[in-house]
Amino acid sequence: ECDWWSVGCILYEMLVGYPPFCAEHPAETYRKVMNWRETMSFPDDVELSAEAKDLIQGYDTLVGGFSNGLINVIIDYYATSI
């Protein structure tokens, strides 16, 4: 069992350098988390591959939650790298 939301947020922070829903006030952070589809974005000054963005925010996102677990992550990664 894995908390895919947290994995996606940690991956974002590792690649970008700060959390995906960073804000000055807790209420604003909460609003960003609750509306993540509209508020999550990638900064222009950080170069991320399309695969990294897809992994974090793609069709079946880490932040949104993988319904079938890690196997989808592995299959998707290797299928696109062939």
Side-chain angles (χ1 to χ4, degrees), residues 4 11 17 19 29 34 42 51-52 57 65-66 68 70 72-73 75:
W4 291 111
L11 181 59
T29 301
M34 296 306 293
F42 298 97
E51 293 83 8
Q57 191 182 35
F66 276 101
N68 293 322
L70 182 60
N72 283 350
V73 176
I75 290 170

Side-chain angles (χ1 to χ4, degrees), residues 5 20-41:
W5 175 273
F21 307 107
C22 191
E24 288 193 31
H25 303 286
E28 180 65 12
T29 301
Y30 176 79
R31 185 193 69 75
K32 286 182 173 186
V33 169
M34 296 306 293
N35 299 298
W36 70 269
R37 284 186 173 93
E38 293 81 33
T39 61
M40 188 172 173
S41 62

